[in-house]
Amino acid sequence: MTGRLNSGQPYALGLYRIVVGLLFLCHGTASLFGVLGGAMGTGRTLEAGSWPGWYAAVIQLVCGSLVLLGLGTRVAALIAAGSMAYAYFKVHQPTALWPMENGGEPAAMFSWAFLLLVFTGSGAFGLDRLFAKRSAEERKPAAEPLAV
């Protein structure tokens, strides 16, 4: 059974990456464009340039898109994990110790979810793999002509 589960690992990881990226992208889209309930469920957008919310929303939009597509996954996930760690420790944690008390559960979960992707990579279905295959094929030396 372990062998079968291990063979499906890249696909499960790819689906995990897609879901996490999509959810993160939705947060950024809501905050920047006022869709999907808007910023913090108010139906509004964040004021452009407001610290730290607007910058966090831009990171969510860009990094969420990159992770969703599996393009530059490790770097995008590292930036996203860092932004969510910042959100937890600077915005949520000062109000109370535990995430249940301070409303920081999404920030903590996203931070750890992206940190996992930093170490695992994009898994299956990612553009990273497609480009890696193409560049590996380009690096292969051409076959030498046979002497007759």
Side-chain angles (χ1 to χ4, degrees), residues 58-85:
V58 170
I59 290 171
Q60 291 167 357
L61 180 72
V62 173
C63 292
S65 299
L66 291 172
V67 168
L68 172 66
L69 296 172
L71 184 62
T73 303
R74 290 177 190 253
V75 173
L78 181 64
I79 293 168
S83 74
M84 289 295 96

Side-chain angles (χ1 to χ4, degrees), residues 89-114:
F89 287 111
K90 286 297 206 177
V91 177
H92 298 284
Q93 199 272 331
T95 62
L97 179 62
W98 297 103
M100 290 290 291
E101 297 173 318
N102 64 29
E105 286 177 285
M109 288 296 293
F110 272 125
S111 183
W112 285 104
F114 284 118

